[in-house]
Amino acid sequence: MLELKIQDKTNISTPRSVGPATKVQLRKSNSSRGFNSHISANDIYMFTRQLANLLKAGMEIPVALEILIGQTDKMNLKLLLSEIYEQVNAGKSLAEAMGKHIDIFGDMYINIIFSAQSGGELDTAMLYMADLLEKRNKLKSQVLRAMAYPTVLLIISVLVITFLLTVVIPNITAMFIETGTELPLITSSLIYLSRGMQHILPYLLAIGILTYLYCQYYLRKPHNRLKWDKKKINLPVYGHFILEVETSRLCLSLCAMLKGGLNIVDSITLATGIIQNCYIRNSLERITEGLNKGMSVEESFRKYGIFPPMIHHAIAIGESTGQLEKQLATMAEILDEEINRTTQTITSMLEPVMMLFMGLVTGYIVAALLLPIFEINNIL
């Protein structure tokens, strides 16, 4: 039976081995030279897609790598591919060469490549990986779209209002005060609000920074992070959205690993490292324990998982028909459509709320500034 040993990423971890003598040592290598932070997920996707196409065309691995090195105009990626090329030319397998850069490729990527090379289906596995990375990047962009627009709009609104209250309005209202006329209530309230903002702004900034630092410290502790992630899952709309995103990630990853030749227990174990929510990750660990006790995949997911019921049904169908990866791929597509709809719903809900908020604030400021002007004109 194929065997997989997985350890903490900061230590040496060993992927599945075929036979007792064949092992790939996965570790964070010093040969990365610190350029891994400058290699984006899209760079890895493009490399994977191009390498898959070249291997599918019948090229040998060293020749394909040499072509990609010549075509790459990004220096960090070129250095990475050059190091992999040197390792392959020295007699190591592609998985072993990539395993020295596990901090860039990840456990799942390396294990799929190793399993595929052992089975002689590297080109097919690379295509699977390219499809997985493409879908993962698409999912990430959907999440960013859902969160970026309202976040940017809120930040700009707060900055503009703060600037008006602390810089612009004090200069304008000073002219009204010099006239000695009685100011309307709305204008007086704006002046008091502006003065208050000028005095408390430094304290607000200090409180904001301290709150951020405390949250970072609080969430570093595993049990606190677990409680926080559980609370996020239970939120009305946002929690359901998080669960959809993480479930889609899981289905995509499991599908790719099963197609790449890994068994279901190893696949779930590796997929655990991809999930960002600690509460969902904890659920996957319990599912793995259930599988090791002899439970079926559907039983373990139903008993220990927190995933939607449709996932249980899809897994049950996949197990009974022997097409589990096909069912997972179908579920990933369904969830992708759900995420897209949820993204549009969140955006359509938040946009009018933000516009209404900005409209009310703008109307309040304009009315507070224009009313004294009208009264002064009437007096004159």
Side-chain angles (χ1 to χ4, degrees), residues 298-311:
E298 189 272 337
E299 288 175 336
S300 189
F301 264 81
R302 188 180 296 276
K303 182 175 181 179
Y304 299 108
I306 58 171
F307 302 97
M310 62 178 180
I311 298 296

Side-chain angles (χ1 to χ4, degrees), residues 59-224:
M59 290 187 180
E60 296 293 331
I61 296 174
V63 177
L65 289 172
E66 193 171 6
I67 292 173
L68 293 178
I69 292 170
Q71 290 179 347
T72 302
D73 55 359
K74 296 184 177 182
M75 185 53 63
N76 291 304
L77 184 59
K78 188 184 290 288
L79 288 172
L80 172 65
L81 298 185
S82 297
E83 290 187 7
I84 294 173
Y85 173 76
E86 290 172 4
Q87 293 288 323
V88 171
N89 267 347
K92 293 189 176 181
S93 69
L94 182 63
E96 289 176 309
M98 288 182 169
K100 293 182 176 297
H101 306 280
I102 191 173
D103 50 340
I104 299 175
F105 294 101
D107 286 320
M108 184 188 73
Y109 194 113
I110 306 299
N111 276 275
I112 289 178
I113 299 303
F114 189 88
S115 177
Q117 276 194 290
S118 302
E121 297 181 350
L122 181 59
D123 54 346
T124 304
M126 292 299 291
L127 287 173
Y128 291 153
M129 281 303 306
D131 291 339
L132 170 64
L133 293 175
E134 181 181 13
K135 291 175 181 176
R136 192 187 293 177
N137 290 344
K138 180 182 176 183
L139 179 63
K140 184 178 179 180
S141 65
Q142 285 179 321
V143 176
L144 288 176
R145 278 202 308 271
M147 302 302 168
Y149 179 76
T151 302
V152 171
L153 191 60
L154 179 61
I155 292 174
I156 292 175
S157 302
V158 171
L159 290 177
V160 169
I161 293 171
T162 303
F163 177 75
L164 289 174
L165 289 175
T166 57
V167 178
V168 178
I169 291 175
N171 295 328
I172 297 175
T173 54
M175 296 185 298
F176 300 152
I177 298 173
E178 288 176 0
T179 61
T181 58
E182 185 178 354
L183 297 175
L185 179 61
I186 189 172
T187 305
S188 300
S189 65
L190 180 63
I191 293 173
Y192 290 131
L193 181 61
S194 176
R195 288 175 177 173
M197 180 62 72
Q198 286 178 293
H199 285 96
I200 68 171
L201 183 60
Y203 300 103
L204 289 176
L205 292 174
I207 291 172
I209 294 172
L210 291 175
T211 302
Y212 173 78
L213 294 176
Y214 173 76
C215 289
Q216 292 295 313
Y217 170 77
Y218 178 83
L219 294 176
R220 281 200 190 108
K221 297 181 180 179
H223 63 280
N224 291 336

Side-chain angles (χ1 to χ4, degrees), residues 176 179-188 367-380:
F176 300 152
T179 61
T181 58
E182 185 178 354
L183 297 175
L185 179 61
I186 189 172
T187 305
S188 300
L369 296 178
L370 290 181
L371 281 177
I373 296 175
F374 291 151
E375 292 186 3
I376 292 172
N377 289 335
N378 290 333
I379 295 173
L380 297 177

